[in-house]
Amino acid sequence: MEGQPVLPVDGGKNNGLAITSLILGIVGWAFALLLLCLNVIVTMVTIGTLGIGSFLYICTAVAGCIVPLLWLGSIITGHLASKKIKETGEKGAGLAKAGLIMSYIGLGLTILSACVIGILAIAGVPVLESLTYPTYY
């Protein structure tokens, strides 16, 4: 349609809960990957300091408990945002869906790894023994 003026379209605002869900999902994954890298460094420090660095394992384990809480917050806010978006017609359905997907995958992998560690521990495999009784080669 040539010659007709183009009117700006007001797309509305994104839902705040959807943005929160996405941010919590991203921060959860960033924190999880950071802790994973730190665990590799902590292993080298522990071997290099003949066990003194094993205190850092406790620090990373405590910090690791925050990640599933971030993902749970993302899942809750993502579902609340999806419900509100359907009711009000706000923008941000994609943001909420992205936050939900990231968080469900992260929480699922966390639960899966906890189950695997539990099964191995029940089977008698010394999974966590290296944390309490470090061996040095």
Side-chain angles (χ1 to χ4, degrees):
M1 308 245 165
E2 229 173 88
Q4 292 185 354
V6 177
L7 299 174
V9 177
D10 181 25
K13 291 174 59 176
N14 284 323
N15 183 289
L17 290 172
I19 295 170
T20 303
S21 176
L22 181 66
I23 290 172
L24 287 174
I26 291 171
V27 169
W29 273 104
F31 206 56
L33 293 174
L34 175 69
L35 289 174
L36 184 65
C37 294
L38 282 177
N39 278 329
V40 172
I41 294 169
V42 165
T43 303
M44 289 186 265
V45 168
T46 302
I47 292 170
T49 59
L50 300 176
I52 296 170
S54 62
F55 171 74
L56 296 175
Y57 275 120
I58 297 168
C59 297
T60 57
V62 170
C65 295
I66 296 171
V67 175
L69 295 176
L70 290 171
W71 287 329
L72 280 174
S74 175
I75 289 170
I76 291 168
T77 56
H79 281 293
L80 290 174
S82 295
K83 182 180 176 185
K84 190 172 181 183
I85 287 169
K86 286 179 186 175
E87 291 173 357
T88 63
E90 286 180 293
K91 288 174 49 179
L95 300 175
K97 189 180 288 188
L100 284 169
I101 290 170
M102 282 191 297
S103 299
Y104 271 122
I105 290 172
L107 199 58
L109 289 174
T110 301
I111 292 170
L112 178 68
S113 62
C115 289
V116 168
I117 289 172
I119 290 169
L120 291 175
I122 290 170
V125 178
V127 179
L128 301 175
E129 191 174 288
S130 63
L131 296 179
T132 53
Y133 305 108
T135 56
Y136 308 103
Y137 300 101

